[in-house]
């Protein structure tokens, strides 16, 4: 596989043909062209359809991709399944580098679809690369490409790559992760993977300088041995985070009808994880959290944590949650407890770890002193902050607005000064429509935390689980690489 001639022309195309372009706003061929333009694609765009108007969105329409008077790097194909092999043949004759086939109705629907897919592959073999069929395509901000209908995805490039056999999930993940501050090098929906598959993309990302973290939603794997070698080779270089769909009987049936993939066995994937260091997650929220924490957490972070908060769940529940996911909550040394007792009120607080500071609105100067004492404790690697108000709540529950921003700045300042990791629980405290300003404040604070290198999650359970996964990976890096 020649990365320059294949992948670079796919991810950074100077010319894109939309085969199946339409003048009807409800059709995918129209929607994709409009989405590309709204996203800001700067290359040349060529609509292709013998039955479409002479112009679509101001671009001249051509009856066949062969008729386009230009070299075509990448083609988006949205024609009926039976017509796709003919389009592939035309693209081969034109010298197109790669196509993404949006159309469904192939292997996932039965034998006739399988034959169409095999015909596509035979026509393209050694001549062009296919993403799909049954997919949403590519989101690559630096290349000006986006998923359908991802016109409002961020145009800034980032360091996370995500591959997904589900087109909808690729889009939802890009939206959700972007809302947390994450930015992407590439997001690829690859559907049935008749040609380019998960191993091809992981191999590309292994050498992609933009990509630092690789995440994936998989329903099946084409070549298990190759995938194993590639993921194992990335250990300690680029974390690989996997959500494997179809590990239950019901999920396996759904996978077969979705992309026609073989689901696999849960025990096999658990063994794969232990032997390669791939981080397994079980659902969408865990995927978002894990990628965010791998992006934010220091490489030296380990399992020993201090949990601090202002009442509520800080105490027995916090200790239970952390230990259940594999974190260690060591008891505070006597000297540290004495120092904290000298600062905190004598009633309604706890200085043992988890630490209860009595109220979520501790004055910022006092909050700083407490955190500085925790950071000086050599027995911990991270500090989890729960039930401390770091952002205004719009008057919710009588919480004063003053002091929130100051406490947030304390956390950001100390994160810059320490090699320990701060983790903040940014709990959604209300869903009432008339308190929407509280959610605005929460999201503003999350962006500040992201920019400051602080990890965060909307609950203590999610925060602890994500942090434990980062620690598990660091353990695997040390143990597996020591065996080499």
């Amino acid at each position: 596989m020649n990365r320059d001639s294949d992948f670079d022309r796919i991810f950074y195309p100077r010319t894109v043909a939309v085969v199946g372009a339409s003048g009807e706003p409800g059709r995918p061929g129209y929607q994709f062209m409009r989405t590309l333009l709204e996203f800001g694609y700067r290359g040349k765009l060529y609509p292709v359809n013998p039955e479409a108007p002479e112009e679509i969105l101001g671009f001249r329409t051509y009856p066949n991709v062969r008729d386009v008077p230009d070299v075509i790097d990448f083609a988006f194909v949205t024609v009926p399944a039976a017509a796709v092999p003919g389009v592939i043949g035309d693209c081969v004759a034109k010298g197109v580098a790669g196509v993404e086939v949006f159309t469904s109705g192939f292997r996932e629907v039965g034998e006739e679809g399988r034959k169409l897919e095999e015909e596509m592959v035979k026509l393209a073999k050694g001549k062009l690369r296919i993403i799909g069929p049954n997919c949403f395509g590519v989101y690559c901000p630096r290349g000006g490409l986006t998923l359908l209908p991802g016109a409002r995805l961020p145009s800034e490039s980032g360091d996370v790559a995500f591959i997904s056999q589900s087109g909808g999930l690729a889009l939802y993940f890009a939206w959700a992760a972007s809302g947390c501050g994450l930015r992407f090098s590439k997001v690829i929906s690859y559907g049935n993977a008749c040609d380019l598959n998960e191993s091809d993309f992981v191999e590309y990302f292994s050498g992609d300088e933009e990509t630092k973290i690789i995440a994936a939603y998989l329903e099946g794997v084409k070549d298990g041995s190759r995938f194993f070698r590639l993921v194992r080779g990335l250990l300690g270089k680029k974390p690989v985070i996997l959500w494997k769909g179809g590990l239950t009987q019901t999920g396996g049936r759904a996978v077969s009808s979705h992309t026609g993939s073989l689901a696999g066995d849960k025990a096999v994937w658990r063994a794969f994880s232990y032997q390669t260091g791939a981080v397994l997650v079980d659902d969408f929220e865990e995927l978002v959290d894990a990628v965010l924490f791998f992006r934010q957490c220091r490489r030296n972070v380990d399992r020993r944590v201090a949990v601090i908060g202002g009442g509520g769940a800080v105490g027995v529940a916090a200790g239970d949650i952390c230990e259940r996911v594999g974190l260690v909550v060591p008891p505070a040394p006597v000297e540290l407890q004495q120092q904290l007792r000298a600062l905190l009120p004598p009633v309604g607080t706890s200085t043992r770890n988890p630490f209860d500071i009595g109220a979520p609105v501790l004055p910022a100067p006092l909050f700083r002193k407490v955190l500085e004492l925790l950071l000086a404790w050599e027995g911990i690697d991270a500090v989890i902050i729960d039930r401390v108000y770091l952002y205004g709540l719009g008057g919710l529950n009588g919480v004063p607005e003053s002091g929130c921003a100051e406490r947030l700045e304390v956390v950001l300042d100390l994160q810059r000064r320490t090699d320990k990791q701060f983790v903040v629980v940014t709990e959604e405290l209300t869903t009432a429509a008339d308190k929407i300003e509280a959610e605005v404040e929460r999201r503003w604070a999350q962006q500040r935390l992201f920019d400051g290198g602080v990890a965060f999650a909307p609950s203590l359970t999610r925060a602890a689980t994500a942090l434990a996964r980062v620690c598990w990976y660091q353990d695997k890096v040390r143990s597996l690489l020591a065996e080499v």
Side-chain angles (χ1 to χ4, degrees):
M1 182 188 308
N2 187 312
R3 181 174 291 118
D4 291 335
S5 63
D6 292 329
F7 281 112
D8 285 353
R9 288 178 66 191
I10 290 172
F11 293 135
Y12 311 106
R14 292 170 296 178
T15 52
V16 170
V18 180
V19 184
S22 174
E24 300 178 29
R27 305 289 294 178
Y30 179 93
Q31 293 172 351
F32 184 69
M33 285 188 62
R34 188 173 188 86
T35 296
L36 273 183
L37 294 171
E38 291 179 359
F39 185 70
Y41 175 67
R42 297 181 181 276
K44 297 178 181 179
L45 196 56
Y46 294 99
V48 175
N49 190 337
E51 300 177 1
E54 292 184 1
E55 284 193 359
I56 299 175
L57 295 171
F59 294 87
R60 179 184 170 184
T61 305
Y62 294 87
N64 190 294
V65 71
R66 301 180 190 226
D67 300 320
V68 176
D70 202 347
V71 174
I72 300 297
D73 290 325
F74 194 39
F76 176 87
V77 178
T78 173
V79 300
V84 171
V87 171
I88 297 297
D90 292 333
C91 289
V92 167
K94 181 65 179 175
V96 177
V99 301
E100 65 176 65
V101 181
F102 180 84
T103 310
S104 58
F106 292 90
R107 185 176 71 236
E108 77 280 6
V109 299
E111 187 60 27
E112 289 302 314
R114 183 182 299 275
K115 290 178 181 178
L116 285 173
E117 198 169 298
E118 290 173 351
E119 185 179 356
M120 289 166 48
V121 173
K122 184 177 180 180
L123 288 165
K125 189 173 183 179
K127 299 168 185 174
L128 65 76
R129 307 315 304 260
I130 301 174
I131 299 176
N134 187 22
C135 72
F136 280 17
V138 175
Y139 168 48
C140 178
R142 195 157 67 85
L145 297 179
T146 190
L147 300 161
L148 178 70
R152 292 196 173 187
L153 288 172
S155 59
E156 306 91 1
S157 190
D159 55 9
V160 178
F162 179 56
I163 61 173
S164 172
Q165 284 190 265
S166 165
L169 193 141
L171 183 64
Y172 299 149
F173 181 75
W175 275 336
S178 297
C180 294
L182 292 165
R183 295 295 182 265
F184 293 91
S185 58
K186 284 97 182 166
V187 174
I188 303 165
S189 157
Y190 66 102
N192 293 9
C194 76
D195 176 32
L196 289 172
N197 59 51
E198 57 288 329
S199 294
D200 295 316
F201 295 125
V202 169
E203 182 178 25
Y204 174 79
F205 292 142
S206 68
D208 182 24
E209 294 183 358
E210 279 192 292
T211 299
K212 307 301 181 187
I213 298 170
I214 301 169
Y217 168 74
L218 304 178
E219 294 183 353
V221 172
K222 293 283 185 179
D223 184 340
S225 297
R226 181 186 175 206
F227 191 66
F228 180 97
R229 291 193 302 272
L230 289 168
V231 174
R232 181 66 173 78
L234 286 166
L235 182 67
K237 302 172 184 176
K238 299 182 181 185
V240 178
I241 303 164
L242 302 179
W243 176 14
K244 176 63 181 69
L247 294 181
T248 64
Q249 185 175 5
T250 302
R253 290 198 303 267
V255 159
S256 179
S257 63
H258 184 214
T259 57
S261 297
L262 295 176
D265 181 83
K266 191 171 185 177
V268 170
W269 281 95
R270 189 179 295 117
F272 175 89
S273 171
Y274 274 88
Q275 293 175 41
T276 64
V279 178
L280 297 184
V281 299
D282 294 323
D283 58 36
F284 184 85
E285 288 76 17
E286 289 187 0
L287 181 66
V288 174
D289 294 342
V291 173
L292 177 64
F293 272 60
F294 272 92
R295 170 62 173 73
Q296 296 295 91
C297 287
R298 309 290 176 87
R299 284 190 173 270
N300 66 334
V301 69
D302 215 330
R303 298 179 182 278
R304 303 172 302 170
V305 300
V307 184
I308 178 173
V314 178
V316 176
D320 287 347
I321 290 169
C322 290
E323 292 195 10
R324 186 169 64 242
V325 300
L327 298 179
V328 177
V329 186
V334 173
E335 182 182 0
L336 174 58
Q337 293 190 50
Q338 293 172 342
Q339 293 171 322
L340 290 171
R341 279 197 290 268
L343 293 174
L344 297 172
V347 178
T349 59
S350 174
T351 59
R352 297 176 60 84
N353 193 23
F355 302 94
D356 187 344
I357 56 177
V361 290
L362 207 65
L366 181 54
F367 186 49
R368 176 184 287 272
K369 290 180 181 179
V370 170
L371 291 181
E372 287 175 339
L373 287 175
L374 297 186
L375 293 174
W377 178 18
E378 294 184 358
I380 61 166
D381 307 290
V383 177
I384 301 176
I385 301 173
D386 185 20
R387 305 297 174 93
V388 176
Y389 295 137
L390 304 182
Y391 47 91
L393 301 178
L396 179 68
N397 294 336
V399 175
E401 296 296 298
S402 61
C404 293
E406 289 81 359
R407 285 186 289 274
L408 176 62
E409 291 303 321
V410 167
V411 175
L412 294 173
D413 180 59
L414 292 179
Q415 183 66 93
R416 289 190 292 267
R417 297 169 182 267
T418 181
D419 61 353
K420 291 182 170 67
Q421 181 64 49
F422 275 115
V423 175
V424 173
V425 177
T426 54
E427 188 175 16
E428 181 182 6
L429 294 176
T430 179
T431 56
D434 63 345
K435 297 295 189 293
I436 192 64
E437 63 269 27
E439 179 63 13
V440 172
E441 289 292 323
R442 186 175 80 99
R443 296 188 186 192
W444 173 83
Q446 286 186 164
Q447 187 61 57
R448 294 294 314 282
L449 292 168
F450 181 87
D451 294 340
V454 177
F456 56 88
S459 73
L460 180 58
T461 298
R462 287 176 61 174
T465 300
L467 180 59
R469 284 195 165 98
V470 175
C471 296
W472 178 90
Y473 176 77
Q474 302 295 2
D475 287 345
K476 280 297 168 187
V477 170
R478 289 187 288 267
S479 63
L480 289 178
L481 292 185
E483 297 174 2
V484 178

